[in-house]
Amino acid sequence: MANDMVAAMKVEVVSKEIIKPSCQTPNHLKTFNLSHLDQLAPPFYTPLLLYYCKNDNHNSIEAVDCCSVTKKSLAEALTQFYPLSGKVIDDKFVDCNDDGANYFEAKVSNCQLSQLIQHPDVHEVANIFLPFEPRDPEILSMQLPLISVKVNVFDEDCGGGIVIGLCISHKIIDAASFTTFINDWATIARGISSVDADQQIKGPDFGLQCLFPQKDLTGFKPPASLPMNGVVVTKKFVFTDSKLALLKEKCQIITNESTDLRYQLPTRVEALSGLIWKCLIDIDQGKIMKGATSDPPAVTVYLLTHAINMRSRIVPPLPPHSFGNMACLAVAPHVYMNNSKDVEVKDQNYPDLVSKVRDSIKKIDGDYIEELRTTDMLLNFLKMNENKASGQSTSMLHFTSWCRFPIYDADFGWGKPTWISISSIPFKNMVVLMDTSSGDGIEATVSLDIEDAADFEHQLLAFMS
């Protein structure tokens, strides 16, 4: 990140301790069985950063008070979310032994937080605000606590402010559960600081382990890491409400209901996902047509996956605060005949791609979830032979959307976050979608092969113009 301010930035850890639950976990809760979806979840740590700039809306940030409040409220939150203080055993259960969470405090100097978050490459340095590098294979082999927190306090001489960095194991938590935990933790903190003392938290609902009982995974283990090929960069792209409305208008989807043709607008996530997919397909096909790809396969299958929160899609719906993994993958395929002379086949039709994204998401309904719950469908999908058919290659693009999750409600007593982000993504072709702080736009964090980054940005801007 070529910037004098960032180059001069200093982050110094000034304390480290273990935060244990404020109350011991009762004996009858010491064993927390994983659900089948938890079993199949990768053993990664999900990173998240909450940025609180000190300004007119965040004028009560004081370093000593903030650190005291976060520690005390974290201990109380861990009592409510007691599995987070334990240890996963054999992909079967959590030993709720009250080991607690790693907690770090750091002092940041020589950098203004308000300027830092405006930098287009801020994700490339965001890892420094996390407790550890969440995707480092060596880190993953160390059996760290399921949750670690780092509170970064910016020097008052630089304008002040706080960044809270969290790493939570994906093995027992998804994005929705992550949001529930943070907001409940923040609510507890507000009560401690007497800002919202009368507000009650719902706490987590632990019913998923019964709904998706665990299964025998003999012969299968979720991969500890994803392949890291080439040099990958992480880029941030912000789409305002007006830009998203333009995208939706460009890809009206034709539906056939009661023999009448009707036009239906996609959601903003579907429209944006289709656009990013189109740009990456066009880049890949451009390489093939220019001969940059030696001995191209006759067929390329482009697969887009979207992590779908199933809580509102199951029958009957589950409460939003259901704790654990309750997401599955919607998969949209696009088959490309590389040797075709047909111009229509060569053109990556944007509305068609959006329609495929929409259809894949619509399939995640009550019947699909019931099949997922009662069969080995998901396990068999993950076990699928990765060897591709002769003359065929597969290109994957993975999406995770935090949109509509109320993550910007995380007020610990010093105001809501100025910005929320993930860290850099070291794996190619992954996209994380989040609401903008205003709530009416979407911020797309995209991981790209460094050779494709400039071309991707050019195609994205050209399509939006």
Side-chain angles (χ1 to χ4, degrees):
M1 190 171 178
N3 185 283
D4 291 342
M5 174 187 64
V6 174
M9 182 174 64
K10 182 179 179 181
V11 180
E12 178 186 4
V13 175
V14 294
S15 69
K16 174 185 176 182
E17 58 185 295
I18 300 293
I19 303 297
K20 293 183 177 292
S22 57
C23 298
Q24 290 186 346
T25 301
N27 287 333
H28 71 283
L29 298 178
K30 286 292 188 181
T31 298
F32 178 84
N33 289 324
L34 296 179
S35 74
H36 181 50
L37 298 181
D38 292 333
Q39 287 181 288
L40 296 176
F44 305 155
Y45 283 85
T46 302
L48 195 68
L49 297 122
L50 298 89
Y51 303 76
Y52 299 86
C53 293
K54 189 171 184 179
N55 51 37
D56 291 341
N57 297 321
H58 302 80
N59 55 13
S60 61
I61 298 177
E62 296 295 339
V64 175
D65 292 341
C66 120
C67 292
S68 174
V69 167
T70 53
K71 284 195 292 187
K72 185 176 180 182
S73 57
L74 178 58
E76 294 188 20
L78 290 176
T79 297
Q80 297 279 343
F81 293 79
Y82 61 91
L84 287 176
S85 294
K87 179 181 180 181
V88 174
I89 306 295
D90 297 330
D91 276 336
K92 293 182 179 179
F93 65 93
V94 179
D95 177 12
C96 302
N97 54 16
D98 296 333
D99 275 356
N102 276 348
Y103 179 87
F104 304 83
E105 291 176 7
K107 179 181 178 181
V108 185
S109 55
N110 300 334
C111 181
Q112 287 196 351
L113 179 56
S114 59
Q115 294 181 12
L116 177 66
I117 64 177
Q118 298 300 320
H119 199 288
D121 295 329
V122 62
H123 293 90
E124 295 298 325
V125 296
N127 283 3
I128 200 170
F129 300 124
L130 292 172
F132 55 83
E133 167 49 62
R135 301 175 182 92
D136 186 336
E138 292 186 13
I139 292 290
L140 295 176
S141 67
M142 294 173 61
Q143 293 188 325
L144 294 172
L146 297 178
I147 175 173
S148 294
V149 177
K150 187 176 181 182
V151 178
N152 305 269
V153 180
F154 280 66
D155 194 277
E156 289 296 328
D157 293 340
C158 299
I162 297 168
V163 177
I164 299 178
L166 301 99
C167 292
I168 297 186
S169 174
H170 200 338
K171 180 55 65 176
I172 63 170
I173 206 166
D174 61 8
S177 293
F178 205 148
T179 302
T180 296
F181 170 75
I182 291 175
N183 282 335
D184 281 2
W185 177 21
T187 301
I188 293 170
R190 291 200 304 274
I192 290 173
S193 56
S194 301
V195 176
D196 227 342
D198 60 342
Q199 188 164 339
Q200 300 296 315
I201 68 169
K202 291 183 178 180
D205 181 295
F206 293 116
L208 293 181
Q209 56 188 9
C210 297
L211 190 62
F212 283 86
Q214 60 182 240
K215 299 182 180 182
D216 183 5
L217 298 187
T218 301
F220 175 80
K221 190 172 183 64
S225 182
L226 292 175
M228 297 174 21
N229 301 320
V231 179
V232 177
V233 295
T234 303
K235 295 289 184 180
K236 177 181 71 172
F237 301 92
V238 178
F239 297 83
T240 62
D241 183 50
S242 59
K243 287 183 179 179
L244 294 171
L246 175 63
L247 285 180
K248 291 168 69 173
E249 288 293 336
K250 284 188 174 185
C251 57
Q252 294 185 64
I253 296 172
I254 300 177
T255 61
N256 193 339
E257 299 178 6
S258 303
T259 70
D260 293 330
L261 289 179
R262 299 183 181 182
Y263 290 90
Q264 188 176 46
L265 289 178
T267 67
R268 56 189 195 145
V269 166
E270 292 164 353
L272 182 53
S273 300
L275 172 60
I276 293 173
W277 196 19
K278 170 180 167 55
C279 290
L280 289 175
I281 292 174
D282 287 346
I283 290 173
D284 189 62
Q285 286 300 312
K287 291 179 181 178
I288 293 176
M289 294 180 67
K290 292 176 182 177
T293 302
S294 60
D295 192 24
V299 177
T300 300
V301 179
Y302 294 97
L303 293 180
L304 177 147
T305 70
H306 241 295
I308 303 299
N309 178 16
M310 297 186 289
R311 289 168 177 80
S312 63
R313 294 170 180 264
I314 194 170
V315 179
L318 294 174
H321 56 285
S322 297
F323 179 87
N325 284 288
M326 188 54 183
C328 70
L329 291 180
V331 182
H334 180 67
V335 180
Y336 190 95
M337 309 299 294
N338 294 320
N339 296 328
S340 174
K341 305 296 183 182
D342 191 335
V343 175
E344 292 184 2
V345 174
K346 290 288 185 183
D347 180 32
Q348 312 306 321
N349 185 276
Y350 174 54
D352 180 52
L353 292 176
V354 174
S355 181
K356 289 180 177 181
V357 175
R358 184 180 183 86
D359 288 345
S360 71
I361 294 175
K362 286 180 67 177
K363 289 178 182 177
I364 313 300
D365 57 13
D367 292 337
Y368 180 93
I369 298 171
E370 182 62 18
E371 183 179 1
L372 193 72
R373 194 179 73 83
T374 57
T375 71
D376 290 331
M377 179 171 64
L378 180 56
L379 178 60
N380 292 336
F381 173 79
L382 296 175
K383 281 183 174 180
M384 239 180 356
N385 193 335
E386 295 182 356
N387 294 327
K388 307 301 183 298
S390 178
Q392 174 180 314
S393 70
T394 302
S395 177
M396 303 284 290
L397 175 62
H398 305 281
F399 280 82
T400 296
S401 174
W402 292 64
C403 294
R404 303 304 185 196
F405 291 151
I407 194 67
Y408 274 95
D409 289 346
D411 178 359
F412 286 79
W414 47 77
K416 294 183 178 182
T418 308
W419 186 49
I420 292 175
S421 81
I422 60 168
S423 59
S424 62
I425 307 173
F427 314 115
K428 185 172 71 172
N429 292 357
M430 299 191 73
V431 183
V432 177
L433 304 179
M434 285 188 168
D435 291 317
T436 55
S437 58
S438 60
D440 57 1
I442 292 180
E443 182 177 296
T445 304
V446 186
S447 66
L448 300 158
D449 188 302
I450 193 169
E451 296 180 355
D452 298 337
D455 195 4
F456 176 82
E457 187 166 2
H458 173 76
Q459 292 205 35
L460 205 63
L461 295 176
F463 192 85
M464 294 298 298
S465 62

